[in-house]
Amino acid sequence: MALEDDAGPGLWAAPRTEEAVPDTRQDHGIVPSRAFALAAYLDRWSGCAHHALAASDSEPLTLAALLHLAGPEDRRRWRAADLGYADPRGAPRLRATVSARYHRLEADDVLISAGAQEAVTCVLSALLGPADHAVVVVPIYQPSELVVTSLCAADGVALRPDRNWPLDLDRLAAAIRPNTRLVLTNFPNSPTGAVLDRATLAGLIDLCRRHGLWLVNDEVYRQTDRDPERAVPPVVDLYERGISINGLSKGFGLPGLRVGWAACRDRALLDRILAAKNLLSSCLARPSEILAQVALQAEPHLTGRARGIGQRNLHRLRALLDRHPDLFDPDEPRNLAFACPRFRGREGATTFARILAAEDGVLVLPSALWHSALASIPADRLRLGLGRVGSGAALGILADHLLRRAGR
């Protein structure tokens, strides 16, 4: 089954027989470290889960709803579009629209990709070789870590599991070797929701600049940050070797378009990234490019809609957690796409998640699914999706489950 950008299409996979399911019975190291644990978990449990609290994208739009937002020019382009091969770098008009989101870029500083994960993979493939070393800040989307470790040696620096999941720059500095080539990060972070404050980001950039390192940041949750007014700028705007990855899957609610991008000031490097991309997808589908243009021009409407859904579900979740202080540590989610509270029940977060799926058909994701071969990740959290309209009903079912649990 195909799975990209966290919990998505796999939620609707057909159930599998028990004999065909990977062993997911251990709370730590759910599946072997080289396997994609999240995909295996969804493959196992999504068939019996009818109320999704696992998704990290916003409520998807219909094609009709998106086209309703198109202006006359985009409607004309939609009707006249041919279905031949498109520009491998992405349509010039789309690249110009993406570049305008940044302060220092032009259209030729952007490469459009088939989803943000393809962009991450191609950037890493263009930068890393067997003689190199990379530092990965974890937790991170596991396929990104697996790309790094398939290319070169790597060390992990784990976010500290305090209330705000801070990044320890001293630990990161200690992980740098003479052959370190890049630092890979994901801020805003999934599953923790952690963000970088301005001082920490400035310190991280200074560290990378002193060592001549590339800083690659997966920024797909920027549009669902709880406080966009206080959000730090994209790394590509602040650092000459900063590379920002983003796309339309999360805050725009358009994962089915498969549109992502890499933004980078070094055009020679973008040529190498394009060469890596040509081994995966020769070009984006032209209808997706046109629809992406429509979405970017309607960004305030689309992200405002997504933020409204997330805010309503956040209020419901906060009330639920407040009713069960014995089971959950106080948590103030930092992202409107998901929350990641600590679960204190004696059965552990992973077992609780399986019981909830089996008994009530509600799918949540235990943090053990983000286990890393590079550093230890706490396995006592639950990632709960807030971005879908159906998340409200699922939170109600979760509340009933917790009441029955308390009465057992």
Side-chain angles (χ1 to χ4, degrees):
M1 57 182 281
L3 260 171
E4 292 191 40
D5 296 330
D6 283 356
L11 288 174
W12 315 118
R16 299 179 60 184
T17 62
E18 191 67 31
E19 291 75 13
V21 172
D23 183 0
T24 59
R25 292 171 293 180
Q26 299 178 28
D27 277 348
H28 301 276
I30 287 186
V31 293
S33 61
R34 295 299 302 173
F36 184 7
L38 178 58
Y41 190 85
L42 292 172
D43 199 21
R44 167 64 180 88
W45 289 104
S46 59
C48 64
H50 310 293
H51 308 284
L53 270 177
S56 63
D57 58 332
S58 302
E59 182 72 17
L61 254 71
T62 64
L63 177 59
L66 182 57
L67 284 172
H68 182 73
L69 301 173
E73 174 61 17
D74 285 320
R75 288 177 182 271
R76 184 197 66 76
R77 293 174 66 240
W78 176 256
R79 291 192 297 269
D82 68 73
L83 298 179
Y85 286 109
D87 188 330
R89 294 178 182 269
R93 186 165 180 255
L94 177 58
R95 288 189 284 119
T97 300
V98 170
S99 69
R101 303 166 59 82
Y102 304 96
H103 294 309
R104 296 174 175 267
L105 304 188
E106 298 176 354
D108 287 343
D109 300 313
V110 171
L111 177 67
I112 305 297
S113 58
Q117 189 57 39
E118 183 183 64
V120 172
T121 299
C122 294
V123 167
L124 296 174
S125 298
L127 283 173
L128 296 174
D132 296 319
H133 171 262
V135 178
V136 182
V137 175
V138 295
I140 199 167
Y141 189 51
Q142 195 180 20
S144 298
E145 178 182 318
L146 293 176
V147 172
V148 171
T149 55
S150 71
L151 292 168
C152 68
D155 283 298
V157 175
L159 299 175
R160 294 206 312 266
D162 304 340
R163 185 177 180 89
N164 293 318
W165 296 89
L167 173 62
D168 188 329
L169 291 179
D170 290 335
R171 289 181 59 199
L172 197 151
I176 295 173
R177 304 180 189 176
N179 63 331
T180 301
R181 178 90 162 137
L182 66 79
V183 176
L184 175 64
T185 60
N186 166 216
F187 292 107
N189 181 261
S190 174
T192 69
V195 295
L196 290 178
D197 58 45
R198 291 179 182 268
T200 303
L201 179 56
L204 175 59
I205 289 173
D206 181 64
L207 184 62
C208 290
R209 183 176 282 125
R210 282 189 281 116
H211 290 273
L213 307 180
W214 293 93
L215 175 58
V216 182
N217 189 35
D218 180 346
E219 300 171 357
V220 295
Y221 294 104
R222 281 187 64 84
Q223 281 67 50
T224 49
D225 194 307
R226 275 196 67 191
D227 194 355
E229 297 302 319
R230 295 180 60 185
V232 297
V235 298
V236 71
D237 279 339
L238 299 177
Y239 179 39
E240 61 277 9
R241 287 197 165 193
I243 302 175
S244 291
I245 309 293
N246 209 330
L248 301 184
S249 293
K250 302 303 182 183
F252 286 81
L254 296 169
L257 287 189
R258 309 312 308 137
V259 175
W261 61 82
C264 171
R265 297 193 219 173
D266 188 319
R267 294 182 182 177
L269 174 58
L270 275 179
D271 287 341
R272 301 205 304 273
I273 296 170
L274 175 62
K277 177 180 174 292
N278 285 337
L279 300 177
L280 299 176
S281 63
S282 59
C283 63
L284 206 62
R286 186 168 280 117
S288 287
E289 292 184 324
I290 297 169
L291 294 172
Q293 180 74 31
V294 173
L296 287 167
Q297 292 180 163
E299 179 173 357
H301 175 83
L302 297 184
T303 59
R305 165 185 176 269
R307 295 179 66 80
I309 294 170
Q311 287 282 11
R312 289 191 292 275
N313 288 326
L314 172 60
H315 293 322
R316 295 181 180 110
L317 175 64
R318 186 184 292 120
L320 187 155
L321 298 183
D322 287 346
R323 290 196 297 271
H324 298 277
D326 56 324
L327 287 180
F328 297 95
D329 278 358
D331 180 74
E332 189 64 26
R334 287 158 290 281
N335 201 285
L336 295 175
F338 50 80
C340 193
R342 182 187 178 201
F343 180 74
R344 298 169 58 192
R346 60 185 179 275
E347 67 270 43
T350 300
T351 298
F352 173 80
R354 294 184 192 129
I355 292 172
L356 182 64
E359 291 187 357
D360 289 290
V362 175
L363 191 64
V364 300
L365 301 180
S367 59
L369 295 172
W370 279 263
H371 72 84
S372 169
L374 303 177
S376 177
I377 305 298
D380 58 355
R381 267 68 170 181
L382 294 168
R383 202 192 72 174
L384 311 174
L386 302 175
R388 300 290 188 90
V389 170
S391 298
L395 286 169
I397 298 170
L398 172 59
D400 292 340
H401 178 93
L402 292 174
L403 288 175
R404 293 200 311 274
R405 181 186 185 281
R408 289 172 181 168

